[in-house]
Amino acid sequence: MTDTPDYTPPKVWTWTKPNGGRFANINRPVSGATHEKELPVGRHPLQLYSLGTPNGVKVTVMLEELLALGHKGAEYDAWLIRIGDGDQFGSGFVAINPNSKIPALLDRSGPQPIRVFETGAILMYLAEKFGAFLPTEAAARAECLSWLFWQMGSTPYVGGGFGHFYAYAPIKIEYAIDRFAMETKRLLDVLDRRLAESEYVAGPAYTIADIAIFPWYGGLVKFGQYGAAEFLSVQEYKNVQRWADALLERPAVKRGRMVNRLSGEPSSQLHERHDAGDFDTKTQDKLAAVS
């Protein structure tokens, strides 16, 4: 089956059956907790509850970049939230993020814990807290925030749109795949044209705009995200390729991509991060060797 032209929407939509596809078991039309479960708390000022998806990687890269600059207050515990098991619907997680999406951050460095959810908000919060990766001059700040929110607004077309219908939907619908492939390629072209005139997305300096955009668009052109590299002809976007290669050389990006990761080579998976030394001793290959 490639299309469903015989479907007529009812007057009132009701949730009567699972929608199918890879994430059907966690999709539902209501919010809130499904079960009681407290979240663990480590010893560091920042507690991150996440998974190594593109959205999760944004925050772990940001934290590793801050630590690389010497900001000791950016030390963090990264706890694994297994979204396939529904961990994001536990009462403790919902208390931090009522939208039940990873990542969620709890800053316990002050007299009262501060919750932060949505990756754009988390990146801005950390950038302002530590005075890094967000320009202070008005025009440069506006450019950076414009690209940050470009990513926040555009990526649902890439993930929930193209990625879902191309890779995860239970049937292949030509109209949906064509619609979202067209938009994904348009967005790649927007980014490619920008990077033809600028070393980094927001200008000559590396910022939270790069940190936000890289896991999604870098994932498309470098890591075969959704198995769609050939389908999208990602090799055409030479400037995005150049920029992604440069970011992949950054040690903090390499570390951030490992945290809360559940796929790939065991040596690239650090399921939880509670100390900088964990990168050397607690990746999955190291744990398997001593078990």
Side-chain angles (χ1 to χ4, degrees), residues 160-232:
F162 173 75
H164 175 78
F165 286 106
Y166 183 79
Y168 303 143
I171 58 174
K172 302 299 183 187
I173 303 172
E174 183 178 359
Y175 171 81
I177 292 173
D178 283 352
R179 169 69 180 87
F180 288 111
M182 182 184 302
E183 181 63 3
T184 297
K185 287 184 69 66
R186 188 191 71 82
L187 292 165
L188 280 166
D189 192 53
V190 169
L191 184 59
D192 198 66
R193 289 171 184 264
R194 171 56 180 166
L195 290 168
E197 62 187 19
S198 180
E199 181 178 2
Y200 294 105
V201 175
Y206 176 70
T207 69
I208 56 173
D210 300 284
I211 294 171
I213 293 167
F214 169 75
W216 282 102
Y217 293 92
L220 285 174
V221 302
K222 302 307 297 184
F223 311 129
Q225 200 162 299
Y226 309 121
E230 182 178 7
F231 183 76
L232 294 172

Side-chain angles (χ1 to χ4, degrees), residues 77-146:
D77 291 276
W79 302 94
L80 184 62
I81 299 295
R82 296 180 183 269
I83 61 175
D85 296 342
D87 290 351
Q88 69 275 32
F89 301 119
S91 57
F93 189 89
V94 173
I96 299 178
N97 186 354
N99 196 37
S100 292
K101 302 290 184 181
I102 61 94
L105 180 72
L106 194 66
D107 183 354
R108 298 169 58 88
S109 63
Q112 295 294 328
I114 297 173
R115 73 176 189 183
V116 197
F117 59 93
E118 293 298 324
T119 53
I122 294 173
L123 292 179
M124 283 189 65
Y125 178 82
L126 292 172
E128 292 176 341
K129 179 180 178 72
F130 294 102
F133 303 116
L134 178 59
T136 55
E137 188 273 326
R141 179 183 174 88
E143 188 74 14
C144 177
L145 294 180
S146 293

Side-chain angles (χ1 to χ4, degrees), residues 20-89:
R22 180 172 170 182
F23 300 104
N25 66 314
I26 61 171
N27 290 335
R28 57 197 182 107
V30 294
S31 63
T34 60
H35 58 282
E36 292 294 322
K37 185 177 181 180
E38 292 186 7
L39 291 173
V41 177
R43 62 187 177 89
H44 294 306
L46 300 174
Q47 300 295 301
L48 179 68
Y49 304 94
S50 190
L51 181 66
T53 66
N55 283 334
V57 167
K58 295 179 198 176
V59 179
T60 50
V61 166
M62 177 65 170
L63 290 166
E64 292 297 330
E65 292 282 12
L66 289 168
L67 290 170
L69 285 181
H71 294 286
K72 295 182 179 179
E75 271 293 353
Y76 68 105
D77 291 276
W79 302 94
L80 184 62
I81 299 295
R82 296 180 183 269
I83 61 175
D85 296 342
D87 290 351
Q88 69 275 32
F89 301 119

